[in-house]
Amino acid sequence: GEDIASRMADATTGYIRVLQFSADSASRVDDTISTMAGRGATKYIIDLRGTSLGDLDDGIAAARLFVKSGTLAMRLGRADEREAIVAEPSDGAITAPLALLVDSGTAGAAEVFAAAIDGNARAELIGTNTLGRASRQRLVTLPDQSGLWLTYLRYLTPDGDPIHETGLAPDVNIEQPEIEFGDNAPAPDEALERALERLAARGAA
């Protein structure tokens, strides 16, 4: 299945919907942005709403496209030892302005990706608080044969703040509209409209 869908949101803004993260996500996002740049895009909206599938490290790999230097995330191990995941010299090739759309269904790899981008001031998070699921767990079998999921690694934001169980707070909060039952008119996508406005304002600054 396709992990990524894209279209031009307006004449100069590319819209990229990441449905799930995979080992190919970084190269696919890179290719998608190159294609859109060829069609006139100078700024991008990445939609992570409802995106929860994928390995956490695939989120980190995709974030490397946009972050030139600094810490992408912190890993917190069992004994509370912290390990910084930092940008490599080859990272950050894409310097165009970004906005990220997030909601309560944004989890896991998408949260780690969003935290890396937001924590390095590369984009605003627009939408609602994310789910808060950024740990690795393994199943431990107990003597009575029951199983216990043990969290052995948590990912933190670049600033060292927890993601797991708290989620990421958006920079711009947009409540999702409640759809009236029987109302067939598609609700305007307020988060997307706000992202377009804010990116346009940044371009003018």
Side-chain angles (χ1 to χ4, degrees):
E2 271 305 302
D3 294 344
I4 290 173
S6 62
R7 61 182 166 84
M8 293 296 287
D10 65 21
T12 57
T13 311
Y15 167 88
I16 301 167
R17 171 89 183 85
V18 180
L19 300 160
Q20 63 179 21
F21 282 87
S22 70
D24 304 331
S25 292
S27 63
R28 285 207 183 152
V29 169
D30 200 13
D31 292 347
T32 300
I33 284 181
S34 297
T35 301
M36 290 183 139
R39 287 158 61 186
T42 57
K43 49 197 187 289
Y44 300 91
I45 294 168
I46 300 179
D47 191 346
L48 303 167
R49 291 175 295 185
T51 308
S52 62
L53 296 175
D55 187 82
L56 298 173
D57 287 334
D58 295 333
I60 297 283
R64 290 186 180 280
L65 296 170
F66 304 101
V67 180
K68 214 172 207 45
S69 64
T71 300
L72 296 158
M74 305 277 277
R75 269 192 270 232
L76 184 65
R78 287 299 309 282
D80 281 353
E81 73 279 6
R82 290 185 177 210
E83 176 200 353
I85 303 169
V86 298
E88 307 287 342
S90 58
D91 290 349
I94 300 168
T95 56
L98 299 176
L100 305 185
L101 306 184
V102 296
D103 69 4
S104 59
T106 305
E111 281 181 296
V112 173
F113 172 82
I117 302 274
D118 185 50
N120 284 284
R122 277 294 282 116
E124 289 182 315
L125 303 184
I126 299 175
T128 56
N129 207 85
T130 65
L131 185 65
R133 199 175 68 216
S135 70
R136 285 180 191 272
Q137 296 178 313
R138 59 170 169 246
L139 189 61
V140 178
T141 307
L142 300 175
D144 66 2
Q145 296 309 305
S146 66
L148 178 70
W149 283 100
L150 195 69
T151 298
Y152 67 95
L153 189 67
R154 290 171 193 265
Y155 279 63
L156 310 174
T157 71
D159 292 335
D161 297 324
I163 301 171
H164 201 62
E165 289 168 359
T166 57
L168 305 171
D171 300 297
V172 180
N173 194 58
I174 306 277
E175 284 308 319
Q176 293 299 334
E178 291 297 318
I179 306 299
E180 287 292 318
F181 187 69
D183 180 5
N184 292 326
D189 188 339
E190 284 184 55
L192 179 60
E193 288 169 13
R194 184 66 65 88
L196 286 167
E197 280 167 25
R198 295 184 77 91
L199 283 171
R202 274 172 68 182

